[in-house]
Structures are given as structure tokens and as C-alpha cells.
Amino acid sequence: MEKVMSNKLVIALYVLPSLLLIMGIIYMPIVLTGYYGLNEWNGIGEMTFIGLENYKHLIQDSTFWSSAFHSFELALFSGISLIGYLLIALVLSGKIKGANLLRKIYLVPMLLSSVAIAQLWMKIYHPTNGVLNSLLMSLGVDNPPAWLAEPSIVLLALFVPIIWQYAGFYILIYYAALKNIPESLMEAARIDGANPWQIATRIKLPLMSEVIKVTIVLSVVGSLKYFDLIYVMTDGGPNGASEVMASYMYHKAFRSFDFGYGSAIGFFLLLVCLVATYLIRKATASKETIQYS
Amino acid sequence: MSKNKVTQGLLLTLVLMLVLAGCGGGKNNNATNAANGGNTPATDATANEQKVTINMMHLWPAGVSAQQNKLVNQIIDQYQTDHPNVTIKEEVLDNEQYKNKLKVLSASNELPDVGITWAAGFMEPYVKGGLFAPIDDIKDGTLLKDKFVAGTTEAYAIDGKTYALPIELNISPIYYNKAIFEKYNLQAPTTYTEFKEVVKTLSENGIAPIALGNKDRWTGSLWYMYLADRIAGNDTLKNAIAGSGSFDDPGLVQAATEIETLVDMNGFNKGFNGLSNDEGKAEFMNEKAGMYLMGTWELPNFTTNPDIPQEFKDKVGFFKFPTVENGKGNIDSWVGGPGVGLFVAESSKVKEEAKAFVEYFVSKWGEDSVTTAGVIPATKVDTTKTELPQLYVDLLNELSKASSITLFADVQMKPSAAQVHLDMIQALFGKAVTPEQFATKHKEAIEKGN
């Protein structure tokens, strides 16, 4: 086996399939998108090269910036919700009754497809016979809001199911990270008289800091390019109040037949995500990795 | 420990399976390609004996368009029995998803052999991009010659060639719930003042006067179009869309203002801007709303669909959009027009078979749609032969009396202008723009061309 693996040709041969796949499915389209973004193109006919015209338009496009703002709001929101996930994971990893069952319950939304979740929440939010408004009315609220139709609250109403959707995923990651911390460390701390709070903040959190960094990147980048629930539940409406970057790109490309502009938005979105990742990595970088054992 | 090993084993198997699947897929493709190149070309003269698969994409899911779905399957079954070598593969999506998928597929030039399109502005980019095949030959073919109602196929013609054949002809009445009207002593209104009176009464009694799902936006556009027609007259909106008139026209601005008034009167069901058309319709079907403005393609739900209780169907009546006092419009002018039509993809490998199928489909649809589906076809209907629901007969009579039928605004416009129009409609209903801004945005979009 070692002999085979030392042969460069063989290594290349083994790497080739996945290399081709990743080139064909990920990198080529990115390059092409970049190229389309420099053209005026309706998706069907001839392309006309117009240089950076699309990007110039993009910078002045107030609808785009408001959708970008919505995306950043979502990123902020999901970033903050990570704290909640972390707390839940900490509790679950402790020796409480039914932790196993609860863990599974939190994971359920992740198993549903986005469209099913969207349909479910559309029923919940239905202005007249939705669960939420029926509940509010039975509690004596005369005129509960039409959650998905009012520009001022539609974004918040969408964030809730999005957060709910990914809760299981992050809780699972944190839970696994917590379970990886050697029991001996905690025992030693307990013998030294540390209380649970100290154990959590001084031992558990530092030891899982790498994992936390990864989840921050995942949730921020995931939020910036978020699309599914918003597309199904409000389609960016009413009047663009819940439009995010990805849905705006979709609308431009596939509704208005402006593929050039849509591609420019897509490419810009990629840049935004790259910059965000870089900044987060930089901001959370630490000189040394913490090791207690 | 052992658990770990099992997991590892499973993971390994999964990875291997993926690899295998990947390789397998490639091989299969090669195999089919070879087969295609080798002996199937359906365009061959010997095609009769060859097995042919025609892919068809349509927008009548069994859930929301039960009758149409039944009819499509009936026609396909019949066709397959008559032509044992032909297999028709269906792909069904609902309206909005359908429009999206059509665009995605056309961007990669992978349209189904036969599909559904809308007329005029909607189909223009597809035709200009060479994606639809001209089908004048079957329009004048043995089955369809002189069968279409005058003026219906023209909407599908660009530069003198016909690229799709209409199967529906629609007008949009306001359906209303007779029981609700009776309960509050209301009459079907004929003038706009009476109409507002109805809205006011229903609203005061806690009933949503009008069912509307304006997340889809074209639904709200119907209301604006009718008001524009009744206030500013038949040609004003048409000219504004064509660019020869202007959206600044005081009549058109007034129409937008009237929309605002209706919203202020709580004329529409709560949260309409967040509800899809199907959800809006549900308000009417559940008798929570009194009126519903929609095309005659909804007729099956009020007449023939066995899943809807007869009790409800008996309650549904319709009236024509009322005239506005001092308006230039005429009560017999309708919003509607040929609805959807069938196209054949230019890139289809089985173009001839697909055309033959479309010819058969359109003619068969014309014969059966009245009785099976309860929709009005674009081909001439012989009403003497069959017993038809009264609602249907009445609307058919209205159709023959119509002084003009204005095509839906978003279909008339080119795609990018249509999006501006639709977005503006939602904004207008949500009171996020004033009628003046509404007019300005439209003007900009129309001037921009596409």
C-alpha cells in the first residue's frame, strides 16, 4: 500500500475524480458567473459585453442595498442565536433527565425539508385562522398583526423559523464538541472546588473555541446567502420588505430575465461572503490553541 | 467502540456508494447517447415503429386544478392507446413554480418537448431566443383548421408566425357568495357606488368583502386593470403599456387612487399581501369572504369539481365589474383573453411527434374541456350538444357579448416591465407608494423597453 501511495501518478489518479467534480460543479460556474456579470444578457439570446456597467448599477441600486441590509440583519440575528444554542448544548451535555430525548427533539426541524418548514410556518402565521393569531385572539388581542403581510414585522417573522430550522444543527455540533472534552479535566476542577459556572466558562468554552469559530463563520455566511424559506414564504414581499441578496439575485435573473445583472449580484454576494469569512477568522484568531491536557 | 466501528463502516459504504453512483451515472448517459445516435432519431421516416417519449410539462396539479388534471390525463391516456409507440411523460408544477422552472430550463436550453406558455410579452423572449418552434402547420392542420375562436391565436403570433396554440379563453367576472349577499340584503352591484356600498356593509358585519391573495401580485393587478378600464376607458391602459399613451393619464392615476380607497375601507381580507392566490381563494371557498375576482379557469371549482360540496357551488354567482360613474368604460369590456397555450420546443428531439400530439391535445381539449373540466376552450364550443351548468352557460353568453377583452397587463408587458408592474401593484395595495409614484415607476419601466 505504501509503495503504491508513493507513486505520484497514482496519487494524481485518485485525486482526479474529485478534482474534476469540484472544478466542474463549483469553480467553473463561479468563473462563468463572474463573466456573465460583465455582460448584458437575457439568459436566452446574445450576450453583449458591457464591462463593469452592471456593478456600477449595483452600487447605486437602493433595492439591492436594502436587501443586503436585510441579509446582514439575518446574519447578526443568527450570530446572536448561537449563544442560545450554546446554552442549550451546555445544559443538554450535563446530566439532566431526558437529555437524550430533548436532543432528538431539537434535531427534528433539521430533518424536514425547507419547503415543508415554510408551509408549516405559513399555516402558523395565517392572518385569520393561523395558530398564532388564534391564540392571540383567544388571549384578548383584538387585531393581531398579519405577520407576513406587514413590512415592519415580516423580517422578524421570517427569522424565527430560520433560527428554529438550524437550531438542531448547531446544538448537535456544540453537543459533540462538549462530549469530546475529557471527563478527567472536569473532575480535577471539581476536586479543586470549581462550580458549574466556572467549569463552563473556564474549561468547556475555551476548549471548544475552535468549534465556536467555525459555527460563527457557518452561520454568518449561511445567513448572507440565505434563500429558501424567504422565497417560499414571502417571495421577498411585501414590496421587497423581506428581500435578501439571494432572493433579489433570483428575481433579477429569473423573473426580469436580466441574467447579466443577476450574475453580477451573485458574484458580489460571493465576494461579500469571502470578506465576511476573512474578517471573522481574523477577529477570532488567537495566538495559541488552548490545551489543558 | 463497536458502535464506532459500525458508524465507520456505514460511512465507508456510503462513500463507496456515492462513487459508484457517480461512475454508474456516467456510463448510463453514454449508453443512452449511443442508443440515441444509433437508432432512435424520431424524425426518421420510419419513426412509426420506434418507441418515442414526449416530455410534457404543465401546471395543473391534481390538488388545486383537479378537473384540468383529470382532463389532461384522459387525453394522454387516449393518445397513448391510439399511438402505442408513444409515451407521454408528465411533469406537473403549480402556477408560480411553473413559470420559474420554465425560465431555469430555458436558460440551459432544456425545455420539455411540449409545455405551457402565456401569450404576448410573456413568450417574446422565448421566441426571440429561438426556443419555441413555429407551429403554423398544425394550426392549419386537419384537426384544427378554422376551429379557433377569432382573435385567440393572434396573441401567440410574433412576426407573423404562431408559436403556441391557446387552449383557454378567459374572462374575469367577480364571483360572489349569494348566501352572504342575501343575509345582508345586498344585490349584485352594477355601479361602482353600489359596489362600494356592498363592500362597506360586508366589512361592517365582520365579513371580508373581497378575497385576495396578493403575494402572487397578478391577482391585485386584475383589480387595477378593471378600475383603469372602467374609469379611463378601454384603450388608455393598453396604450400606456404599448408606450403610445402614458401612465400619467388622470384616469389611470384615479384607478390607482381607488385601489387605495378600497384598501382603506378594509375591502380585502386581512393580510392579503402575504397570502398566495390559493390562500386568498380559500377565504372565498370557506365562505369567509363575499367576493372573488378571478378568471373563468376557476369555473370548475364552482361547477363540476366533485370535491367541492354542491351546497357551496349553488351559492356562487357572478357579476360583471361595475361601471364607474362618469367613467369612459363599458360594462361589457372584460379583462381576460386567451389564457395558456401549448408550445413545442425548438430543441426537441421528437418535434414531429410532439407537434402531432399538440394538435391532438388542443382539438381534444376543445371537445372535452367543457364537460370534463368546465373551462372555456379557445376553440369553438358547441353548447347545444351537452347539458352544461348554468353558471357556465351564462358566462359563455357574456363572452359572446363582450365588447372587448383586454389581455392581462403582466402578460402584455415584457418581462422586466411586467415585474415592475407587479411589484408596484403589491406596493400600491400595501400603501407603500402613492398613485403618482405608481404612475412614475410604470412610465420609467415602459420607457426602458426591456
Side-chain angles (χ1 to χ4, degrees):
Chain A
M1 196 63 187
E2 251 166 53
K3 218 167 149 192
V4 176
M5 275 308 177
S6 62
N7 187 339
K8 293 260 160 52
L9 243 168
V10 174
I11 297 177
L13 195 69
Y14 277 106
V15 171
L16 200 65
S18 40
L19 185 73
L20 283 180
L21 275 181
I22 209 168
M23 286 301 243
I25 297 173
I26 299 182
Y27 290 107
M28 275 292 289
I30 290 180
V31 174
L32 282 178
T33 309
Y35 172 68
Y36 294 152
L38 303 175
N39 287 277
E40 190 175 334
W41 185 38
N42 70 2
I44 300 172
E46 293 284 298
M47 282 191 229
T48 350
F49 189 82
I50 51 167
L52 291 174
E53 212 48 48
N54 279 330
Y55 291 91
K56 259 192 223 160
H57 183 192
L58 185 69
I59 286 169
Q60 294 157 2
D61 185 348
S62 62
T63 322
F64 172 74
W65 288 110
S66 77
S67 64
F69 182 69
H70 297 151
S71 291
F72 279 103
E73 277 181 294
L74 176 60
L76 186 71
F77 212 79
S78 25
I80 293 169
S81 64
L82 286 178
I83 300 172
Y85 303 150
L86 191 57
L87 286 177
I88 296 176
L90 277 170
V91 172
L92 284 183
S93 70
K95 292 187 174 54
I96 62 158
K97 260 193 188 156
N100 216 350
L101 178 71
L102 282 173
R103 212 173 71 232
K104 281 171 187 139
I105 290 175
Y106 289 126
L107 201 62
V108 166
M110 227 185 88
L111 305 177
L112 296 172
S113 84
S114 295
V115 177
I117 292 180
Q119 293 293 343
L120 176 72
W121 281 85
M122 277 159 76
K123 298 277 178 303
I124 294 177
Y125 282 139
H126 193 283
T128 46
N129 40 26
V131 179
L132 186 57
N133 277 3
S134 306
L135 191 73
L136 284 176
M137 279 193 272
S138 70
L139 290 176
V141 182
D142 273 341
N143 202 4
W147 300 96
L148 297 178
E150 277 167 38
S152 53
I153 47 172
V154 63
L155 259 191
L156 276 179
L158 282 170
F159 288 171
V160 173
I162 296 174
I163 302 296
W164 180 76
Q165 178 183 18
Y166 286 103
F169 176 68
Y170 290 109
I171 291 173
L172 195 71
I173 292 183
Y174 287 149
Y175 181 81
L178 284 166
K179 280 288 164 189
N180 257 340
I181 298 171
E183 189 59 33
S184 56
L185 286 178
M186 258 93 83
E187 216 162 282
R190 248 174 259 134
I191 291 170
D192 289 343
N195 60 29
W197 173 250
Q198 281 169 324
I199 292 179
T201 52
R202 300 289 168 80
I203 297 178
K204 289 179 176 172
L205 287 187
L207 276 177
M208 58 190 290
S209 62
E210 282 304 313
V211 174
I212 294 178
K213 281 180 210 166
V214 171
T215 54
I216 293 177
V217 173
L218 276 181
S219 76
V220 169
V221 173
S223 309
L224 288 179
K225 54 180 195 169
Y226 195 77
F227 177 75
D228 348 4
L229 284 195
I230 291 178
Y231 171 68
V232 182
M233 287 175 73
T234 63
D235 201 13
N239 352 318
S242 61
E243 194 91 276
V244 290
M245 283 192 277
S247 66
Y248 189 57
M249 166 183 83
Y250 180 84
H251 287 149
K252 278 293 165 196
F254 290 104
R255 293 270 166 80
S256 307
F257 269 118
D258 200 344
F259 274 75
Y261 193 50
S263 303
I265 299 172
F267 200 72
F268 191 79
L269 178 57
L270 175 76
L271 293 182
V272 170
C273 289
L274 282 177
V275 170
T277 312
Y278 174 77
L279 288 179
I280 295 169
R281 296 305 291 183
K282 192 136 195 211
T284 57
S286 54
K287 295 256 157 36
E288 62 224 272
T289 42
I290 298 149
Q291 277 186 335
Y292 283 136
S293 47
Chain B
M1 243 323 149
S2 69
K3 221 179 185 179
N4 246 336
K5 276 211 178 121
V6 172
T7 321
Q8 277 178 4
L10 281 176
L11 265 179
L12 195 69
T13 326
L14 183 72
V15 171
L16 284 175
M17 265 164 57
L18 280 177
V19 172
L20 279 179
C23 296
K27 268 202 189 118
N28 273 344
N29 278 343
N30 287 342
T32 21
N33 281 345
N36 271 343
N39 54 10
T40 16
T43 37
D44 276 1
T46 53
N48 273 345
E49 299 307 313
Q50 307 289 353
K51 287 255 174 260
V52 173
T53 305
I54 301 174
N55 291 308
M56 175 182 188
M57 207 162 96
H58 67 78
L59 39 64
W60 296 292
V64 285
S65 309
Q67 297 310 106
Q68 284 97 328
N69 185 283
K70 195 172 126 199
L71 178 58
V72 170
N73 283 313
Q74 194 179 308
I75 295 175
I76 288 178
D77 285 346
Q78 187 61 43
Y79 193 77
Q80 285 177 342
T81 323
D82 294 351
H83 304 79
N85 62 320
V86 178
T87 319
I88 316 270
K89 255 168 102 181
E90 281 179 89
E91 186 177 352
V92 193
L93 297 115
D94 98 282
N95 195 315
E96 294 304 305
Q97 259 82 37
Y98 181 88
K99 285 183 194 165
N100 292 337
K101 179 141 190 185
L102 199 64
K103 283 174 192 170
V104 178
L105 289 179
S106 54
S108 51
N109 202 9
E110 284 170 356
L111 286 180
D113 302 313
V114 175
I116 305 278
T117 179
W118 286 261
F122 179 90
M123 67 188 283
E124 193 178 291
Y126 297 93
V127 172
K128 291 266 154 78
L131 292 172
F132 291 175
I135 46 178
D136 289 284
D137 46 341
I138 59 171
K139 188 188 97 186
D140 300 323
T142 44
L143 289 176
L144 292 173
K145 196 164 170 45
D146 297 327
K147 286 281 172 62
F148 288 102
V149 175
T152 48
T153 52
E154 278 80 349
Y156 295 85
I158 291 176
D159 297 336
K161 281 185 184 159
T162 311
Y163 290 90
L165 293 177
I167 54 176
E168 288 178 336
L169 180 57
N170 296 296
I171 49 177
S172 312
I174 300 180
Y175 303 100
Y176 71 106
N177 189 317
K178 289 190 242 174
I180 294 179
F181 270 50
E182 217 161 281
K183 189 170 167 198
Y184 299 107
N185 264 329
L186 297 167
Q187 303 289 325
T190 52
T191 68
Y192 193 63
T193 322
E194 285 171 25
F195 175 76
K196 282 214 239 183
E197 222 27 68
V198 170
V199 168
K200 207 172 133 215
T201 316
L202 289 178
S203 169
E204 276 166 4
N205 285 292
I207 303 239
I210 302 160
L212 174 70
N214 205 28
K215 189 169 98 180
D216 296 348
R217 305 170 300 171
W218 57 266
T219 41
S221 171
L222 293 181
W223 283 94
Y224 171 72
M225 284 190 70
Y226 262 123
L227 283 165
D229 178 275
R230 295 294 188 260
I231 295 169
N234 186 239
D235 287 329
T236 316
L237 183 62
K238 224 183 268 178
N239 292 340
I241 289 172
S244 55
S246 165
F247 274 92
D248 276 342
D249 183 279
L252 294 183
V253 176
Q254 198 199 330
T257 318
E258 283 303 333
I259 294 279
E260 280 195 323
T261 318
L262 282 179
V263 173
D264 285 337
M265 292 171 74
N266 285 326
F268 303 97
N269 54 290
K270 190 180 161 95
F272 54 83
N273 257 353
L275 299 176
S276 69
N277 177 38
D278 285 330
E279 287 171 302
K281 181 168 77 186
E283 299 288 306
F284 182 70
M285 307 285 278
N286 295 333
E287 306 192 47
K288 288 193 172 147
M291 298 176 275
Y292 179 53
L293 169 58
M294 195 41 62
T296 36
W297 59 79
E298 276 310 328
L299 269 177
N301 282 333
F302 308 137
T303 52
T304 48
N305 187 347
D307 297 336
I308 313 273
Q310 189 59 39
E311 200 187 321
F312 171 74
K313 289 190 224 163
D314 290 339
K315 287 181 195 160
V316 179
F318 77 92
F319 58 86
K320 302 184 241 188
F321 200 98
T323 45
V324 175
E325 292 75 1
N326 305 321
K328 296 181 198 150
N330 156 355
I331 197 152
D332 281 319
S333 116
W334 297 85
V335 171
V340 294
L342 288 181
F343 70 81
V344 173
E346 181 70 35
S347 63
S348 167
K349 293 199 181 68
V350 289
K351 213 191 279 180
E352 292 312 312
E353 283 79 0
K355 277 187 185 176
F357 172 64
V358 167
E359 184 176 5
Y360 177 83
F361 189 100
V362 174
S363 86
K364 197 77 186 148
W365 179 280
E367 287 165 23
D368 293 348
S369 62
V370 177
T371 41
T372 312
V375 291
I376 304 175
T379 38
K380 291 166 188 157
V381 183
D382 185 0
T383 48
T384 52
K385 263 199 287 187
T386 39
E387 189 83 5
L388 294 168
Q390 195 53 42
L391 192 66
Y392 189 95
V393 175
D394 291 346
L395 274 163
L396 216 51
N397 288 336
E398 292 298 344
L399 184 62
S400 57
K401 278 197 309 195
S403 64
S404 78
I405 298 179
T406 312
L407 196 57
F408 306 104
D410 60 319
V411 179
Q412 283 185 56
M413 295 178 189
K414 292 181 177 147
S416 96
Q419 289 314 312
V420 174
H421 167 68
L422 293 171
D423 285 344
M424 277 300 113
I425 284 287
Q426 206 181 39
L428 181 70
F429 274 80
K431 299 190 70 185
V433 292
T434 63
E436 288 74 24
Q437 287 166 324
F438 180 83
T440 319
K441 286 274 186 185
H442 272 85
K443 241 175 41 184
E444 282 169 17
I446 298 289
E447 272 162 19
K448 219 180 117 202
N450 199 18

